[in-house]
Amino acid sequence: MQATSPKQSHAGHAEAHHEEPGFWSKYIFSTDHKIIGIQYGLTALTFLLFGFCLMLMMRWQIAHPGQPVPLVGPLLAKVLGGVAAGGVMSADLYNSFGAMHGTIMVFLAVVPLAFGAFGNYVVPLMIGAPDMAFPRVNMASYQAYVVGGIIMFVSFFIPGGAAQAGWTSYSPLATSIPTDGQTFWLVGMIFLITSSLLGAVNFIATIIQLRAPGMTWMRLPFFVWAQFVTGFLLLLAFPPLEAAGLMQLMDKVAGTSFFLPTGLAVGGQLADVSGGGSPLLWQHLFWFLGHPEVYVLILPAMGIVCEVISNNTRKQIWGYKSLVYSSLAIGFLSFIVWAHHMYLTGMGTKISTFFQTTTMIISIPSVIILTCFFISLWGGSIRFNTPMLFALAFLPMFGIGGLTGLPLGFSASDLHLHDTYYVIAHFHYVVAPGTIFALFAGIYYWFPKMTGRLMSEYWGRVHFWGSLIFMNVVFQPMFAQGMAGMIRRMADGGANYSLARVPDAIGGLSDTIMSLHTLILWGGIGLGLVQIPFIINVFWSIKHGRKVTSDNPWDATTLEWQTPTPPPHGNFAAEPTVHRGPYDYSLPGKAKDFTPQNEPDQGGKH
Amino acid sequence: MEIPYTAQPRKDTGLYNAKVGIWLFLASEVMLFGGLFSAYILLRVGATPGTWVHGLLNIPIGTFNTAVLITSSVTVVLSWAALKVGNFGRYRFYQAITILCALGFLGIKSFEYREKFSHYEVWLNQPVTVTRGGQEVQTDRLLGHIEYQGHHPAFWSTKTLAEKQVESFKFTPDPIHYKMTPKEMAHARKTAAGRKAEEFEFKAADVKRLSAFVPGHSTYFALYFTLTALHALHVLGGAVVIFYIWGPGAKMWKTDPERYTNRVEVSGLFWHFVDLVWIFLFPVLYLL
Ligand code: HEM
Ligand SMILES: [Cu+2]
């Protein structure tokens, strides 16, 4: 299949790109999975940085409530007007930034990076396919993502600003805030959901249909399995949120009451609506997506970690089958745990009991996966390069995140911890030093395949150690704050509930707990600074990095390394045939310590 | 390397790519409508007694529309079967009927919509006396039609009365209300038949709430319009795709007949799904 007509999209830019007539169809409207993967990657990294900056400004506000934001304060005041008067972040703006930070990080940064970018670039190569099954659908998926992103971004600048009701957009709050931010959010989400659905259909169909000869299911690299399960999660969990989004949009623009209860009063006045709706319905539909979504965030990360660990321990991954079955189990179970986010809604103890049970059960496969990775390290002669450092750090960081989820999974302890900074710390440990570290590992690992050059090891290490330290400085204190009762989403960081302000308040926040805000702010600034070497490293290495001397610089076994570098359109010169499992490292009796999947046996079995 | 299995099925799965794709897509569609249907169940079960609207839709028209869609499902299959044996003319003929059925369905649906937009419920501050099923009853909620300065306006709400500074309007009540059971409604309709309807003149000050049968009227109409509009969008989308393959896309029949037939099959699968959704919607919204 060919890209969209280069002539049409070319017309307006004929002068600028005379020499390379294929520019638009080659880089912008490409249907090549590798280009689309890179497009996804760059866009998602941009959003990642943007989402991070939002949070940094919020951390300043929490640590120094009511003081103008340094450096960018005047800019905020100029661009956003009243909500940032004098460069001070108002509570409304804080709410907008918070809601959009979550939305951007989850839907515009991490998932597009983990699924859209790595999935697109790597999966077809790994299974020995020439491209995705539906290249034009693939392009449409990226375009829908960009449109959704633009709508979200533009919403900051409309009167009243962006959505303010959190990334979870609970009704009736989300509906009754009188600005249009939520409407933009919903329309943007519909595009993002469409993008995910198109992507999911494409990925699953590709993995089912386009595996090279000999690439049986049990010879698939674990990364492909992880993407496969992720695809199903997106395919089946997102539509109910789309349904919910449509209903909330109706509530917002057509005056319906899907999520508005009878007798709803807004600002002391009875709202002019029919009522009869159910706020709980929104929460059920949201978390029906929301929980599978967290596994969408983590499964591709586990896939990357698996590839990197096996490659750098020069060993078979331990328990390949357990990994596969565990990821499938996670896939199924993640559809029946959602209401553990809703213990405090009064949905009833029977329902709580059910969801506590399933939540405990789902942690078993997660633990199995982590255990397999740990055991895989045993007795390996580990190469400590940058991808491996990030992959290794993923293990304890995800471990902390997962273990701290258990107290949240019991409704008795969740009673105390719900909606506190403890929850924030929990999920950031899984997503930030967890998933994002794995994504960094993936970038350092596959960069040579994409560009033919290696990223700088030295600056990679600076990036790694800095990130590891500052991530923990940022998120570790939040456990303490949460357990001390600090509620999330407060624009003043809890100053109103502090002992400093109300000395005799029972359960007021102590000075120590409040002062952690300052520590976290500096941790956040540090974390931002150590990303600078990374950003420079990425762009500098494209042109100036050390050239790879072979197509397979890491001596890896999987098929993506058995192609030219970078792989041409169509990927493989000839269709590869697969003869073995994905991790045949250090086979006895072989000259090399790795045996690529497409290397035939010379007589007999290995 | 070219992408394999665009037309020929893969041996171990027995499917060509697009067929895998459409089944996956339909799975997600099931979840989409599943989400909406579960919203229906939850909201209906949780509704305060007497607030759930029922019995206001035109069942004969709905039944007719159901028949139209089922017919189109049959012609989709016939056209694909014709193509399978190489009879392009027959395929075109049947698929033309499919497209006409789709348009017919949408036309009838929009007629139904329009009828609702000028039909009202009024909530009154003081109850009035009306005749229902041959008996005088006191009620503060009436269904019926509005007349204002010789017009029968659509889309009015409580807000409109204030905005247009309406002092009073004529109201012709229906002999029924959805608070009644289906049996009572049938009886009331029968006794009222042929008799001239009573007429009221309501002052704006008498009116607590006024709403046409629009999504904002009640949870029921919110669901009715959301579900049927989403379904109608699917009908429209399906019809556009089928039309594209039928008309401008038909060149492929000459160059790659196998792939062309696959396209017809895939669009047909989608069409069946759209029909199936209606088979669920019709009883849920019209009959229950
Ligand atoms: C492995 C076992 C895990 C358990 C038992 C667990 C349990 C929970 C529970 C019960 C909550 C709700 C807490 C509350 O709101 O009071 C929660 C919140 C959350 N978890 Fe986990 N979790 C686990 C793993 C993960 C993973 C792997 C991720 C993501 C990669 C994740 C992401 C989140 C997010 C994003 C939230 C907060 C949502 C919000 O309210 O904004 N969790 N977790
Ligand atoms: Cu969860």
mmCIF file of all heavy atoms in Angstrom, chain A residues 284-320:
data_model
loop_
_atom_site.group_PDB
_atom_site.id
_atom_site.type_symbol
_atom_site.label_atom_id
_atom_site.label_comp_id
_atom_site.label_asym_id
_atom_site.label_seq_id
_atom_site.Cartn_x
_atom_site.Cartn_y
_atom_site.Cartn_z
ATOM 1 N N HIS A 284 -18.026 3.664 37.733
ATOM 2 C CA HIS A 284 -17.894 2.276 37.267
ATOM 3 C C HIS A 284 -17.347 2.240 35.846
ATOM 4 O O HIS A 284 -16.424 1.485 35.540
ATOM 5 C CB HIS A 284 -19.246 1.560 37.321
ATOM 6 C CG HIS A 284 -19.603 1.069 38.693
ATOM 7 N ND1 HIS A 284 -18.849 0.142 39.352
ATOM 8 C CD2 HIS A 284 -20.610 1.393 39.530
ATOM 9 C CE1 HIS A 284 -19.381 -0.101 40.545
ATOM 10 N NE2 HIS A 284 -20.461 0.651 40.672
ATOM 11 N N LEU A 285 -17.936 3.045 34.980
ATOM 12 C CA LEU A 285 -17.491 3.002 33.585
ATOM 13 C C LEU A 285 -16.061 3.510 33.467
ATOM 14 O O LEU A 285 -15.258 2.980 32.712
ATOM 15 C CB LEU A 285 -18.429 3.823 32.692
ATOM 16 C CG LEU A 285 -19.816 3.221 32.519
ATOM 17 C CD1 LEU A 285 -20.722 4.176 31.767
ATOM 18 C CD2 LEU A 285 -19.753 1.890 31.789
ATOM 19 N N PHE A 286 -15.719 4.555 34.234
ATOM 20 C CA PHE A 286 -14.358 5.067 34.153
ATOM 21 C C PHE A 286 -13.354 4.028 34.612
ATOM 22 O O PHE A 286 -12.364 3.755 33.934
ATOM 23 C CB PHE A 286 -14.176 6.346 34.980
ATOM 24 C CG PHE A 286 -12.777 6.897 34.830
ATOM 25 C CD1 PHE A 286 -12.493 7.779 33.808
ATOM 26 C CD2 PHE A 286 -11.739 6.476 35.653
ATOM 27 C CE1 PHE A 286 -11.196 8.240 33.617
ATOM 28 C CE2 PHE A 286 -10.441 6.926 35.472
ATOM 29 C CZ PHE A 286 -10.178 7.811 34.448
ATOM 30 N N TRP A 287 -13.605 3.421 35.747
ATOM 31 C CA TRP A 287 -12.599 2.486 36.273
ATOM 32 C C TRP A 287 -12.622 1.167 35.539
ATOM 33 O O TRP A 287 -11.653 0.405 35.603
ATOM 34 C CB TRP A 287 -12.759 2.310 37.782
ATOM 35 C CG TRP A 287 -12.302 3.535 38.509
ATOM 36 C CD1 TRP A 287 -13.066 4.373 39.258
ATOM 37 C CD2 TRP A 287 -10.985 4.093 38.503
ATOM 38 N NE1 TRP A 287 -12.304 5.419 39.718
ATOM 39 C CE2 TRP A 287 -11.017 5.265 39.272
ATOM 40 C CE3 TRP A 287 -9.772 3.720 37.918
ATOM 41 C CZ2 TRP A 287 -9.898 6.066 39.475
ATOM 42 C CZ3 TRP A 287 -8.658 4.517 38.123
ATOM 43 C CH2 TRP A 287 -8.729 5.672 38.893
ATOM 44 N N PHE A 288 -13.709 0.890 34.848
ATOM 45 C CA PHE A 288 -13.692 -0.312 33.997
ATOM 46 C C PHE A 288 -12.600 -0.161 32.948
ATOM 47 O O PHE A 288 -11.954 -1.130 32.546
ATOM 48 C CB PHE A 288 -15.052 -0.533 33.320
ATOM 49 C CG PHE A 288 -15.111 -1.837 32.580
ATOM 50 C CD1 PHE A 288 -15.392 -3.007 33.253
ATOM 51 C CD2 PHE A 288 -14.851 -1.900 31.220
ATOM 52 C CE1 PHE A 288 -15.409 -4.218 32.591
ATOM 53 C CE2 PHE A 288 -14.873 -3.109 30.545
ATOM 54 C CZ PHE A 288 -15.153 -4.276 31.233
ATOM 55 N N LEU A 289 -12.415 1.053 32.465
ATOM 56 C CA LEU A 289 -11.224 1.325 31.669
ATOM 57 C C LEU A 289 -10.016 1.528 32.571
ATOM 58 O O LEU A 289 -8.950 0.973 32.334
ATOM 59 C CB LEU A 289 -11.360 2.600 30.830
ATOM 60 C CG LEU A 289 -9.945 3.097 30.460
ATOM 61 C CD1 LEU A 289 -9.500 2.464 29.194
ATOM 62 C CD2 LEU A 289 -9.793 4.563 30.488
ATOM 63 N N GLY A 290 -10.196 2.335 33.612
ATOM 64 C CA GLY A 290 -9.074 2.837 34.387
ATOM 65 C C GLY A 290 -8.167 1.748 34.898
ATOM 66 O O GLY A 290 -6.950 1.862 34.814
ATOM 67 N N HIS A 291 -8.734 0.672 35.424
ATOM 68 C CA HIS A 291 -7.816 -0.336 35.904
ATOM 69 C C HIS A 291 -7.095 -1.084 34.791
ATOM 70 O O HIS A 291 -5.875 -1.152 34.816
ATOM 71 C CB HIS A 291 -8.411 -1.287 36.932
ATOM 72 C CG HIS A 291 -7.292 -2.063 37.525
ATOM 73 N ND1 HIS A 291 -6.545 -1.606 38.575
ATOM 74 C CD2 HIS A 291 -6.665 -3.171 37.084
ATOM 75 C CE1 HIS A 291 -5.527 -2.413 38.782
ATOM 76 N NE2 HIS A 291 -5.584 -3.375 37.896
ATOM 77 N N PRO A 292 -7.798 -1.611 33.786
ATOM 78 C CA PRO A 292 -7.032 -2.196 32.665
ATOM 79 C C PRO A 292 -5.991 -1.224 32.122
ATOM 80 O O PRO A 292 -4.895 -1.627 31.732
ATOM 81 C CB PRO A 292 -8.110 -2.502 31.630
ATOM 82 C CG PRO A 292 -9.326 -2.771 32.437
ATOM 83 C CD PRO A 292 -9.241 -1.827 33.607
ATOM 84 N N GLU A 293 -6.326 0.066 32.148
ATOM 85 C CA GLU A 293 -5.376 1.057 31.649
ATOM 86 C C GLU A 293 -4.055 1.009 32.410
ATOM 87 O O GLU A 293 -2.994 1.182 31.820
ATOM 88 C CB GLU A 293 -6.014 2.455 31.758
ATOM 89 C CG GLU A 293 -5.132 3.584 31.273
ATOM 90 C CD GLU A 293 -5.074 3.704 29.756
ATOM 91 O OE1 GLU A 293 -5.858 3.020 29.078
ATOM 92 O OE2 GLU A 293 -4.230 4.461 29.259
ATOM 93 N N VAL A 294 -4.089 0.761 33.714
ATOM 94 C CA VAL A 294 -2.819 0.726 34.431
ATOM 95 C C VAL A 294 -1.985 -0.470 33.969
ATOM 96 O O VAL A 294 -0.764 -0.422 33.987
ATOM 97 C CB VAL A 294 -2.987 0.722 35.973
ATOM 98 C CG1 VAL A 294 -3.876 1.850 36.427
ATOM 99 C CG2 VAL A 294 -3.448 -0.610 36.489
ATOM 100 N N TYR A 295 -2.646 -1.531 33.517
ATOM 101 C CA TYR A 295 -1.868 -2.645 32.964
ATOM 102 C C TYR A 295 -1.431 -2.353 31.541
ATOM 103 O O TYR A 295 -0.426 -2.886 31.079
ATOM 104 C CB TYR A 295 -2.635 -3.962 33.103
ATOM 105 C CG TYR A 295 -2.576 -4.395 34.547
ATOM 106 C CD1 TYR A 295 -3.599 -4.092 35.430
ATOM 107 C CD2 TYR A 295 -1.440 -5.012 35.044
ATOM 108 C CE1 TYR A 295 -3.501 -4.399 36.766
ATOM 109 C CE2 TYR A 295 -1.333 -5.328 36.382
ATOM 110 C CZ TYR A 295 -2.366 -5.018 37.234
ATOM 111 O OH TYR A 295 -2.254 -5.312 38.571
ATOM 112 N N VAL A 296 -2.175 -1.488 30.866
ATOM 113 C CA VAL A 296 -1.679 -0.996 29.583
ATOM 114 C C VAL A 296 -0.384 -0.226 29.811
ATOM 115 O O VAL A 296 0.542 -0.262 29.005
ATOM 116 C CB VAL A 296 -2.738 -0.089 28.915
ATOM 117 C CG1 VAL A 296 -2.150 0.634 27.724
ATOM 118 C CG2 VAL A 296 -3.945 -0.900 28.493
ATOM 119 N N LEU A 297 -0.323 0.463 30.952
ATOM 120 C CA LEU A 297 0.890 1.218 31.252
ATOM 121 C C LEU A 297 2.054 0.301 31.620
ATOM 122 O O LEU A 297 3.200 0.625 31.361
ATOM 123 C CB LEU A 297 0.638 2.185 32.415
ATOM 124 C CG LEU A 297 -0.379 3.291 32.198
ATOM 125 C CD1 LEU A 297 -0.701 3.987 33.502
ATOM 126 C CD2 LEU A 297 0.145 4.298 31.204
ATOM 127 N N ILE A 298 1.767 -0.827 32.240
ATOM 128 C CA ILE A 298 2.868 -1.601 32.805
ATOM 129 C C ILE A 298 3.287 -2.779 31.914
ATOM 130 O O ILE A 298 4.453 -3.145 31.884
ATOM 131 C CB ILE A 298 2.511 -2.094 34.231
ATOM 132 C CG1 ILE A 298 3.788 -2.429 35.000
ATOM 133 C CG2 ILE A 298 1.604 -3.288 34.221
ATOM 134 C CD1 ILE A 298 4.583 -1.241 35.388
ATOM 135 N N LEU A 299 2.349 -3.399 31.193
ATOM 136 C CA LEU A 299 2.722 -4.607 30.438
ATOM 137 C C LEU A 299 3.786 -4.348 29.368
ATOM 138 O O LEU A 299 4.774 -5.091 29.298
ATOM 139 C CB LEU A 299 1.471 -5.247 29.816
ATOM 140 C CG LEU A 299 0.653 -6.126 30.768
ATOM 141 C CD1 LEU A 299 -0.662 -6.514 30.121
ATOM 142 C CD2 LEU A 299 1.423 -7.370 31.170
ATOM 143 N N PRO A 300 3.636 -3.318 28.525
ATOM 144 C CA PRO A 300 4.702 -3.086 27.548
ATOM 145 C C PRO A 300 6.042 -2.830 28.230
ATOM 146 O O PRO A 300 7.086 -3.247 27.730
ATOM 147 C CB PRO A 300 4.236 -1.843 26.786
ATOM 148 C CG PRO A 300 2.782 -1.768 27.024
ATOM 149 C CD PRO A 300 2.552 -2.344 28.378
ATOM 150 N N ALA A 301 5.989 -2.170 29.399
ATOM 151 C CA ALA A 301 7.228 -1.910 30.140
ATOM 152 C C ALA A 301 7.874 -3.227 30.548
ATOM 153 O O ALA A 301 9.085 -3.424 30.409
ATOM 154 C CB ALA A 301 6.924 -1.049 31.357
ATOM 155 N N MET A 302 7.052 -4.153 31.042
ATOM 156 C CA MET A 302 7.593 -5.460 31.401
ATOM 157 C C MET A 302 8.190 -6.150 30.190
ATOM 158 O O MET A 302 9.224 -6.828 30.278
ATOM 159 C CB MET A 302 6.491 -6.330 32.009
ATOM 160 C CG MET A 302 6.032 -5.862 33.367
ATOM 161 S SD MET A 302 4.557 -6.773 33.851
ATOM 162 C CE MET A 302 4.584 -6.485 35.629
ATOM 163 N N GLY A 303 7.539 -5.970 29.042
ATOM 164 C CA GLY A 303 8.055 -6.575 27.812
ATOM 165 C C GLY A 303 9.441 -6.037 27.480
ATOM 166 O O GLY A 303 10.360 -6.813 27.170
ATOM 167 N N ILE A 304 9.603 -4.739 27.575
ATOM 168 C CA ILE A 304 10.909 -4.144 27.274
ATOM 169 C C ILE A 304 11.959 -4.674 28.247
ATOM 170 O O ILE A 304 13.046 -5.105 27.856
ATOM 171 C CB ILE A 304 10.830 -2.603 27.367
ATOM 172 C CG1 ILE A 304 9.895 -2.059 26.291
ATOM 173 C CG2 ILE A 304 12.218 -1.995 27.232
ATOM 174 C CD1 ILE A 304 9.610 -0.580 26.419
ATOM 175 N N VAL A 305 11.606 -4.657 29.534
ATOM 176 C CA VAL A 305 12.550 -5.106 30.560
ATOM 177 C C VAL A 305 12.979 -6.539 30.283
ATOM 178 O O VAL A 305 14.157 -6.888 30.396
ATOM 179 C CB VAL A 305 11.911 -4.968 31.957
ATOM 180 C CG1 VAL A 305 12.724 -5.700 32.999
ATOM 181 C CG2 VAL A 305 11.784 -3.499 32.316
ATOM 182 N N CYS A 306 12.038 -7.370 29.872
ATOM 183 C CA CYS A 306 12.362 -8.766 29.589
ATOM 184 C C CYS A 306 13.404 -8.875 28.485
ATOM 185 O O CYS A 306 14.396 -9.598 28.625
ATOM 186 C CB CYS A 306 11.088 -9.505 29.205
ATOM 187 S SG CYS A 306 11.343 -11.247 28.911
ATOM 188 N N GLU A 307 13.206 -8.146 27.388
ATOM 189 C CA GLU A 307 14.166 -8.205 26.278
ATOM 190 C C GLU A 307 15.547 -7.756 26.742
ATOM 191 O O GLU A 307 16.559 -8.391 26.448
ATOM 192 C CB GLU A 307 13.709 -7.308 25.122
ATOM 193 C CG GLU A 307 12.341 -7.629 24.552
ATOM 194 C CD GLU A 307 12.222 -9.074 24.119
ATOM 195 O OE1 GLU A 307 13.172 -9.589 23.503
ATOM 196 O OE2 GLU A 307 11.180 -9.699 24.429
ATOM 197 N N VAL A 308 15.562 -6.624 27.459
ATOM 198 C CA VAL A 308 16.852 -6.045 27.855
ATOM 199 C C VAL A 308 17.579 -6.962 28.838
ATOM 200 O O VAL A 308 18.792 -7.175 28.738
ATOM 201 C CB VAL A 308 16.636 -4.638 28.446
ATOM 202 C CG1 VAL A 308 17.936 -4.080 28.993
ATOM 203 C CG2 VAL A 308 16.067 -3.709 27.391
ATOM 204 N N ILE A 309 16.820 -7.529 29.762
ATOM 205 C CA ILE A 309 17.463 -8.391 30.764
ATOM 206 C C ILE A 309 18.038 -9.645 30.112
ATOM 207 O O ILE A 309 19.191 -10.016 30.337
ATOM 208 C CB ILE A 309 16.450 -8.773 31.872
ATOM 209 C CG1 ILE A 309 16.257 -7.581 32.803
ATOM 210 C CG2 ILE A 309 16.958 -9.969 32.653
ATOM 211 C CD1 ILE A 309 15.408 -7.890 34.001
ATOM 212 N N SER A 310 17.249 -10.275 29.275
ATOM 213 C CA SER A 310 17.743 -11.502 28.658
ATOM 214 C C SER A 310 18.991 -11.206 27.833
ATOM 215 O O SER A 310 19.986 -11.937 27.890
ATOM 216 C CB SER A 310 16.659 -12.116 27.785
ATOM 217 O OG SER A 310 17.072 -13.363 27.315
ATOM 218 N N ASN A 311 18.933 -10.106 27.091
ATOM 219 C CA ASN A 311 20.076 -9.754 26.249
ATOM 220 C C ASN A 311 21.332 -9.473 27.075
ATOM 221 O O ASN A 311 22.432 -9.855 26.683
ATOM 222 C CB ASN A 311 19.715 -8.542 25.392
ATOM 223 C CG ASN A 311 20.866 -8.085 24.542
ATOM 224 O OD1 ASN A 311 21.493 -7.076 24.837
ATOM 225 N ND2 ASN A 311 21.164 -8.842 23.496
ATOM 226 N N ASN A 312 21.162 -8.808 28.199
ATOM 227 C CA ASN A 312 22.350 -8.381 28.936
ATOM 228 C C ASN A 312 22.785 -9.329 30.033
ATOM 229 O O ASN A 312 23.826 -9.118 30.646
ATOM 230 C CB ASN A 312 22.127 -6.982 29.507
ATOM 231 C CG ASN A 312 22.154 -5.945 28.403
ATOM 232 O OD1 ASN A 312 23.141 -5.838 27.686
ATOM 233 N ND2 ASN A 312 21.062 -5.223 28.239
ATOM 234 N N THR A 313 21.969 -10.349 30.307
ATOM 235 C CA THR A 313 22.479 -11.409 31.170
ATOM 236 C C THR A 313 23.051 -12.530 30.323
ATOM 237 O O THR A 313 23.651 -13.450 30.850
ATOM 238 C CB THR A 313 21.375 -12.002 32.068
ATOM 239 O OG1 THR A 313 20.278 -12.369 31.229
ATOM 240 C CG2 THR A 313 20.899 -11.001 33.086
ATOM 241 N N ARG A 314 22.844 -12.443 29.012
ATOM 242 C CA ARG A 314 23.300 -13.475 28.077
ATOM 243 C C ARG A 314 22.744 -14.834 28.476
ATOM 244 O O ARG A 314 23.450 -15.836 28.446
ATOM 245 C CB ARG A 314 24.832 -13.541 28.000
ATOM 246 C CG ARG A 314 25.537 -12.211 27.929
ATOM 247 C CD ARG A 314 25.101 -11.351 26.789
ATOM 248 N NE ARG A 314 25.419 -11.908 25.469
ATOM 249 C CZ ARG A 314 24.798 -11.545 24.357
ATOM 250 N NH1 ARG A 314 23.815 -10.664 24.408
ATOM 251 N NH2 ARG A 314 25.123 -12.065 23.193
ATOM 252 N N LYS A 315 21.480 -14.841 28.915
ATOM 253 C CA LYS A 315 20.862 -16.094 29.361
ATOM 254 C C LYS A 315 19.446 -16.180 28.808
ATOM 255 O O LYS A 315 18.818 -15.169 28.511
ATOM 256 C CB LYS A 315 20.750 -16.111 30.897
ATOM 257 C CG LYS A 315 21.996 -16.498 31.623
ATOM 258 C CD LYS A 315 21.739 -16.357 33.105
ATOM 259 C CE LYS A 315 20.667 -17.342 33.576
ATOM 260 N NZ LYS A 315 20.149 -17.009 34.885
ATOM 261 N N GLN A 316 18.952 -17.412 28.737
ATOM 262 C CA GLN A 316 17.520 -17.588 28.532
ATOM 263 C C GLN A 316 16.792 -16.842 29.641
ATOM 264 O O GLN A 316 17.247 -16.866 30.780
ATOM 265 C CB GLN A 316 17.164 -19.073 28.686
ATOM 266 C CG GLN A 316 17.568 -19.950 27.558
ATOM 267 C CD GLN A 316 16.401 -20.213 26.629
ATOM 268 O OE1 GLN A 316 15.286 -19.802 26.898
ATOM 269 N NE2 GLN A 316 16.679 -20.876 25.526
ATOM 270 N N ILE A 317 15.658 -16.233 29.318
ATOM 271 C CA ILE A 317 14.869 -15.655 30.398
ATOM 272 C C ILE A 317 14.301 -16.820 31.208
ATOM 273 O O ILE A 317 13.954 -17.854 30.648
ATOM 274 C CB ILE A 317 13.762 -14.738 29.832
ATOM 275 C CG1 ILE A 317 13.308 -13.732 30.864
ATOM 276 C CG2 ILE A 317 12.578 -15.530 29.321
ATOM 277 C CD1 ILE A 317 14.270 -12.613 31.031
ATOM 278 N N TRP A 318 14.280 -16.667 32.531
ATOM 279 C CA TRP A 318 13.816 -17.778 33.368
ATOM 280 C C TRP A 318 12.292 -17.805 33.370
ATOM 281 O O TRP A 318 11.651 -16.800 33.661
ATOM 282 C CB TRP A 318 14.347 -17.608 34.795
ATOM 283 C CG TRP A 318 14.170 -18.835 35.631
ATOM 284 C CD1 TRP A 318 15.032 -19.881 35.761
ATOM 285 C CD2 TRP A 318 13.043 -19.152 36.460
ATOM 286 N NE1 TRP A 318 14.520 -20.834 36.593
ATOM 287 C CE2 TRP A 318 13.302 -20.413 37.045
ATOM 288 C CE3 TRP A 318 11.838 -18.509 36.755
ATOM 289 C CZ2 TRP A 318 12.408 -21.031 37.904
ATOM 290 C CZ3 TRP A 318 10.947 -19.130 37.605
ATOM 291 C CH2 TRP A 318 11.229 -20.382 38.179
ATOM 292 N N GLY A 319 11.699 -18.938 33.026
ATOM 293 C CA GLY A 319 10.245 -19.068 33.139
ATOM 294 C C GLY A 319 9.476 -18.351 32.041
ATOM 295 O O GLY A 319 8.511 -17.636 32.315
ATOM 296 N N TYR A 320 9.906 -18.541 30.796
ATOM 297 C CA TYR A 320 9.215 -17.888 29.688
ATOM 298 C C TYR A 320 7.724 -18.188 29.687
ATOM 299 O O TYR A 320 6.880 -17.303 29.551
ATOM 300 C CB TYR A 320 9.850 -18.320 28.364
ATOM 301 C CG TYR A 320 9.089 -17.894 27.138
ATOM 302 C CD1 TYR A 320 9.188 -16.591 26.655
ATOM 303 C CD2 TYR A 320 8.250 -18.781 26.465
ATOM 304 C CE1 TYR A 320 8.484 -16.195 25.532
ATOM 305 C CE2 TYR A 320 7.537 -18.389 25.346
ATOM 306 C CZ TYR A 320 7.661 -17.100 24.883
ATOM 307 O OH TYR A 320 6.949 -16.698 23.766
#
